[in-house]
Structures are given as C-alpha cells and as structure tokens.
Amino acid sequence: MLPLDPLADVGRRAWVACPNCDDRQGCDPCAEGRSCSTHWRYLLSNTGSLLHLQCPSCTHIWTHETRFGATRSRWERVISGLRPR
C-alpha cells in the first residue's frame, strides 16, 4: 500500500470512482451520482481536463480524463501512454 502523496490535500477533492477498489458500492449518494462525504478522491493536480487522483481508501494513484473544458495536443492525451491518435 502506497503512502499518501505529499500533494494530497483534503481541500482539493474529486468524486470519481477508484479503478482499484470498490469502496463506493452500496452508497446511495454515489449510486445517484451525487457528492458523498465519504467516497471522494484527492485531486493531486490537473492539466486541463486530465486529473491526477489518489484514493484515500486504498492509496491508489491514477489519471482520469474528464473530456471537459480545456484540451491538450494529440501527444499529451493519455489513454494508455503517450500515443498519436
């Protein structure tokens, strides 16, 4: 289990499902797509619509593409590594 990232700050949060653990299962607010006081993720940083997150439950770190707002060049879009489209 990884330690929390030094950039992890409870003041910067996001409500995105963790791809590593299923801690939101059985939570009514999460199932309805609402913000939950328990199942949030640390928002470590972002580059436009690309979020860098860490789960406080399992400490997994991942990148999530929201496809909302600012976009990046085709070399900066991350799906599974840097690849041209």
Side-chain angles (χ1 to χ4, degrees):
M1 195 156 138
L2 293 171
L4 282 180
D5 189 280
L7 298 176
D9 177 6
V10 73
R12 292 178 42 90
R13 297 180 284 178
W15 283 263
V16 177
C18 176
N20 190 57
C21 68
D22 197 12
D23 65 344
R24 298 179 353 156
Q25 185 157 6
C27 177
D28 291 334
C30 290
E32 295 170 4
R34 297 181 307 170
S35 298
C36 172
S37 62
T38 306
H39 304 113
W40 49 269
R41 313 302 170 209
Y42 288 108
L43 175 59
L44 302 177
S45 66
N46 72 296
T47 304
S49 60
L50 191 65
L51 307 179
H52 307 285
L53 304 164
Q54 185 170 26
C55 177
S57 297
C58 68
T59 67
H60 178 68
I61 296 175
W62 77 101
T63 302
H64 175 75
E65 173 61 69
T66 65
R67 303 202 190 288
F68 180 80
T71 57
R72 293 165 308 286
S73 75
R74 65 187 184 130
W75 289 103
E76 293 176 313
R77 290 186 191 119
V78 175
I79 295 171
S80 64
L82 296 176
R83 299 183 296 173
R85 286 183 111 195

